[in-house]
Amino acid sequence: MISNNILSFAKSVLCEVLHPGCIGVDATVGNGYDTVFLSEKAGPDGHVFGFDIQEDAVNQTEQRLNEECLPANWTIFHSGHENMLELIPSEFHGRVNAVMFNLGFLPGSDKTVITKSKTTLAAIEASLDLLAKGGMLCIAIYAGHPGGDDEDVAVREYCNALDYHTYRVIQSEMINKPGHPIRMLFVTKL
Ligand SMILES: C[S@@+](CC[C@H](N)C(=O)[O-])C[C@H]1O[C@@H](n2cnc3c(N)ncnc32)[C@H](O)[C@@H]1O
């Protein structure tokens, strides 16, 4: 059942643009679950680029990818996602099918290490440059933690202002979750 978990719901939507040989970016690898999903979808002829500022997250993701016996179709950078345009080789620019952001902090880890509005917006802008036509950016937004509300507003304002003739933005929310809703933005490049 995909609809009891908004992240599973997001993956089911992303499947529309993922296919063997596709190019994916996991902008916040964390424990590596989304990276594994993208690597599986890309298969041996595709590629996945991942980013995280925490060394533990990078190590854990690489370990998970190795344990899952996935093809060697991934490159994980121990770097902020705001640097993706410089770090992803230019031959992939304009060819990326999906970019995933899972904002906030890594559950079970240091809750003071969070994604921040300024770098998140820089990375979203870079992602839009990297996307192929028909490609999709997916952003999971969590409010309620220190810094989270500002980021939630900033990301939605940015996406709200994207040109309708170039991008389509769809927002989904788990609205009956106690506390703050989890928001999911899907941005498709036309
Ligand atoms: C909610 S977690 C990601 C969960 C992950 N997608 C998974 O499947 O386990 C958010 C991650 O963003 C990372 N992060 C924070 N700022 C970042 C930045 N500027 N660039 C890349 N990653 C960042 C954190 O270290 C944390 O691991």
Side-chain angles (χ1 to χ4, degrees), residues 88-99:
I88 295 177
S90 57
E91 70 200 80
F92 294 97
H93 294 194
R95 288 183 48 213
V96 172
N97 302 92
V99 183

Side-chain angles (χ1 to χ4, degrees), residues 7 11 26-36 50-58 60-61 64 77-84 100-107 109-110 113-116 119-120 123 140 142 151:
L7 298 176
K11 285 178 182 160
D26 185 352
T28 50
V29 298
N31 288 322
Y33 295 110
D34 297 335
T35 327
V36 164
F51 296 84
D52 208 293
I53 53 171
Q54 296 193 70
E55 193 170 8
D56 281 355
V58 170
Q60 182 150 350
T61 297
R64 193 176 300 283
F77 296 106
H78 179 202
S79 171
H81 41 217
E82 60 276 17
N83 303 316
M84 65 171 77
M100 297 181 76
F101 283 79
N102 194 340
L103 302 178
F105 58 83
L106 184 60
S109 174
D110 183 350
V113 182
I114 54 166
T115 53
K116 298 189 175 143
T119 41
T120 300
Y142 308 84
E151 186 179 46

Side-chain angles (χ1 to χ4, degrees), residues 91-162:
E91 70 200 80
F92 294 97
H93 294 194
R95 288 183 48 213
V96 172
N97 302 92
V99 183
M100 297 181 76
F101 283 79
N102 194 340
L103 302 178
F105 58 83
L106 184 60
S109 174
D110 183 350
K111 291 188 170 52
T112 64
V113 182
I114 54 166
T115 53
K116 298 189 175 143
S117 306
K118 190 173 174 211
T119 41
T120 300
L121 293 187
I124 292 173
E125 193 172 356
S127 302
L128 296 177
D129 284 345
L130 289 171
L131 278 186
K133 285 187 177 166
M136 192 183 283
L137 169 59
C138 166
I139 312 168
I141 312 174
Y142 308 84
H145 61 274
D149 294 4
D150 288 348
E151 186 179 46
D152 174 37
V153 171
V155 169
R156 284 186 296 124
E157 276 182 3
Y158 180 90
C159 292
N160 195 36
L162 288 173

